[in-house]
Amino acid sequence: MREIKTVTVLGANGTMGAGSAAIVASFGKAKVHMLARDTNKAKEGIEKAIGSVKTDTIRPRLIPGSYDADLEKAVSESDWVFELVAESYEVKEPINKRIASSRRPGTIVSTVSSGLSIERLSKAFDEDGQKHYFGTHFFNPPYKMILCELVSHKGSDKKVLKQLGEYLEKVLGRAVVYTNDTPAFAGNRIGFQLINEVAQIAEKYSDKGGIALMDAIMSGYTGRAMAPLDTADFVGLDVHKAIVDNLYEMTKDAAHSTFKMPDYFQKLIDKGDLGRKTGGGLYKMSKTPDGKKEKLVYNIGADLYEPVPKFEIDFIRQANKRISEADYTGAMNIVKEAKGFEADLARYFIARYVSYSLSIVGEVVDTKEMADLAMGTGFNWAPASAFVDFLGGPKDAIQLIEKAKLPVPEVLAKAKPGKPFYELKEKLDARSLFKG
């Protein structure tokens, strides 16, 4: 792999494009051609890039341009072409043909996609181009979210893959997760499985608290910075739909039915209530008559917003106390022994998360550490392997999974007793992801 001195970013005016360009220019010290539909858009991207890293020192390395006037020249000068245009084959494939016509041998081309086939997108290139074509799925915003899923396909050069991974990790400061070319890759496949199943079950319990209750049950004591349905609101219900619809169509694993998006999500999408970016989705902020801010939640059955209720759930209070005392195993023991339907749901969701996270090993990623790193750095969720240890070890985790009538992953079934299951402690302290 050539030294990366010049990079072309396509889609440089978007949040992801500008943020990624800023990372390359600041950490990689590379010259970056910032290309967008027109030069003014590219200049807007430059300002976003500078704002994301909060330093003007990268400005001289950022060069604005447009697709029509500058793409071929920029690509011909580049060591890496980083494409972040719209998430569709109809947009990406024509752009790839233009890149292929100007790309020098040895130039890396990568796409940011959350689920399109990398192998299909590589077909626009000759043999050398296919060897140097990868998916580089950065998470948004790149300056704060360090995960990069590096996706290879059948035609990828394994030596170049390794070298690119080292560059992303050592130079750009990414947490690199190597994934196979499978739908939604690792992080989104695991994360949106849980989010969507929680959303399905929220509808089942809509008369008991619905959305707000599910997020209370899956709050910080379960090892996540943001509860599942709050996360859906954060990323956008339209984005959620695109991911789970793709997974429902393209996968046929044991969790297949959990990727069917609930009808009330579609109802909100049809109204334009997509989440935080539109001012409301599953949640929305309002003001009381006396001017105070108030968080509202969507009532599924009544089709209206109401103040978020406060739930007094004793085992969660006890678990939170243990978390605040840094007793993570103690917190999980409370969850394991608690009574009531809320505790039943908490155990089920934890079992599902551990089961599904580890079940993708072999198909999507080669090791459990890659699945763990994806969730810890991409979602800020405590990794599944750490949960295994906090639950008491593989035997206890298997018992929890079997009680939930879920598949026991092979990697867990073969785990050696008496040895810590979580092996990323030097890279990621899972304890930091619990909120008591």
Side-chain angles (χ1 to χ4, degrees):
M1 187 180 90
R2 288 200 306 266
E3 182 181 358
I4 295 178
K5 296 180 179 180
T6 303
V7 176
T8 292
V9 173
L10 304 171
N13 59 307
T15 302
M16 178 73 84
S20 301
I23 296 294
V24 173
S26 57
F27 296 163
K29 309 298 182 188
K31 179 174 76 172
V32 183
H33 290 285
M34 302 277 286
L35 302 191
R37 284 171 293 175
D38 60 63
T39 304
N40 287 333
K41 291 285 186 185
K43 289 178 179 177
E44 290 174 10
I46 288 175
E47 298 308 316
K48 288 181 184 177
I50 292 167
S52 73
V53 294
K54 297 180 173 58
T55 175
D56 202 55
T57 58
I58 64 171
R59 187 182 294 277
R61 293 195 282 274
L62 304 177
I63 304 163
S66 70
Y67 301 147
D68 289 344
D70 303 293
L71 188 149
E72 280 74 16
K73 183 176 185 298
V75 168
S76 70
E77 296 175 358
S78 294
D79 305 300
W80 178 19
V81 179
F82 194 8
E83 174 269 299
L84 304 98
V85 299
E87 177 86 347
S88 75
Y89 293 117
E90 291 74 20
V91 177
K92 288 182 182 288
E93 287 177 331
I95 284 283
N96 275 355
K97 288 180 180 178
R98 291 183 63 188
I99 295 169
S101 69
S102 303
R103 171 192 168 275
R104 291 180 293 156
T107 294
I108 288 170
V109 181
S110 71
T111 182
V112 170
S113 168
S114 60
L116 298 180
S117 167
I118 304 304
E119 183 176 8
R120 173 174 166 175
L121 290 170
S122 76
K123 296 302 183 184
F125 298 88
D126 60 17
E127 184 179 354
D128 181 79
Q130 290 180 35
K131 287 181 178 179
H132 290 80
Y133 191 84
F134 303 94
T136 44
H137 183 210
F138 281 37
F139 274 53
N140 218 0
Y143 194 70
K144 293 182 179 179
M145 305 298 288
I146 64 171
L147 174 62
C148 173
E149 292 180 313
L150 181 53
V151 189
S152 58
H153 59 94
K154 291 177 182 177
S156 299
D157 186 306
K158 301 305 179 186
K159 183 178 179 181
V160 177
L161 173 71
K162 182 180 178 183
Q163 292 170 334
L164 179 58
E166 289 174 350
Y167 169 79
L168 290 165
E169 185 172 357
K170 295 177 181 178
V171 179
L172 300 190
R174 303 296 91 188
V176 178
V177 168
Y178 294 87
T179 82
N180 298 320
D181 188 13
T182 54
F185 315 127
N188 282 347
R189 183 149 172 184
I190 297 168
F192 282 88
Q193 185 287 315
L194 184 65
I195 291 169
N196 202 65
E197 188 169 16
V198 170
Q200 291 175 340
I201 294 175
E203 188 167 27
K204 179 180 177 181
Y205 288 94
S206 60
D207 61 334
K208 295 183 182 296
I211 292 165
L213 177 63
M214 294 304 112
D215 273 356
I217 290 171
M218 291 300 288
S219 55
Y221 78 97
T222 66
R224 61 204 73 246
M226 189 181 293
L229 300 182
D230 205 9
T231 301
D233 244 25
F234 177 76
V235 301
L237 302 189
D238 54 336
V239 175
H240 176 97
K241 173 181 169 61
I243 293 170
V244 298
D245 282 358
N246 181 50
L247 283 163
Y248 189 71
E249 179 184 356
M250 301 301 294
T251 64
K252 301 295 179 186
D253 60 20
H256 179 251
S257 64
T258 68
F259 290 116
K260 185 172 177 57
M261 191 180 72
D263 291 341
Y264 70 92
F265 266 50
Q266 188 62 56
K267 184 183 288 188
L268 289 167
I269 291 169
D270 291 343
K271 292 179 181 179
D273 296 329
L274 305 180
R276 294 190 189 183
K277 60 188 174 185
T278 60
L282 301 176
Y283 295 95
K284 70 188 300 184
M285 295 304 297
S286 183
K287 283 189 177 182
T288 61
D290 58 358
K292 293 181 180 178
K293 286 185 178 180
E294 183 178 38
K295 189 173 185 179
L296 307 179
V297 63
Y298 180 67
N299 183 314
I300 300 168
D303 189 26
L304 53 78
Y305 290 92
E306 59 190 15
V308 175
K310 291 183 179 180
F311 300 99
E312 297 295 334
I313 303 173
D314 189 56
F315 84 89
I316 294 178
R317 180 187 59 78
Q318 293 180 48
N320 279 329
K321 185 174 184 297
R322 292 296 180 93
I323 295 295
S324 69
E325 296 167 350
D327 182 5
Y328 306 94
T329 299
M332 289 303 105
N333 284 338
I334 287 169
V335 174
K336 287 192 293 183
E337 299 299 325
K339 306 296 183 184
F341 83 94
E342 298 99 337
D344 290 340
L345 285 172
R347 285 189 289 270
Y348 175 81
F349 289 141
I350 291 169
R352 169 65 88 178
Y353 175 58
V354 173
S355 170
Y356 197 68
S357 294
L358 298 176
S359 75
I360 72 165
V361 176
E363 177 198 356
V364 180
V365 292
D366 292 338
T367 67
K368 62 183 173 65
E369 284 68 46
M370 291 292 96
D372 287 343
L373 192 60
M375 299 316 297
T377 60
F379 279 73
N380 288 333
W381 289 4
S385 295
F387 261 108
V388 171
D389 289 339
F390 294 140
L391 287 166
K395 182 179 178 181
D396 293 79
I398 288 170
Q399 287 178 350
L400 189 74
I401 291 168
E402 288 178 337
K403 284 181 181 178
K405 298 181 180 179
L406 295 169
V408 175
E410 183 178 359
V411 69
L412 183 58
K414 291 182 176 180
K416 295 179 181 179
K419 181 183 177 183
F421 193 70
Y422 183 57
E423 299 184 69
L424 287 179
K425 290 178 181 177
E426 292 185 5
K427 279 191 173 183
L428 177 66
D429 185 350
R431 297 171 299 180
S432 67
L433 300 171
F434 287 83
K435 309 296 178 186

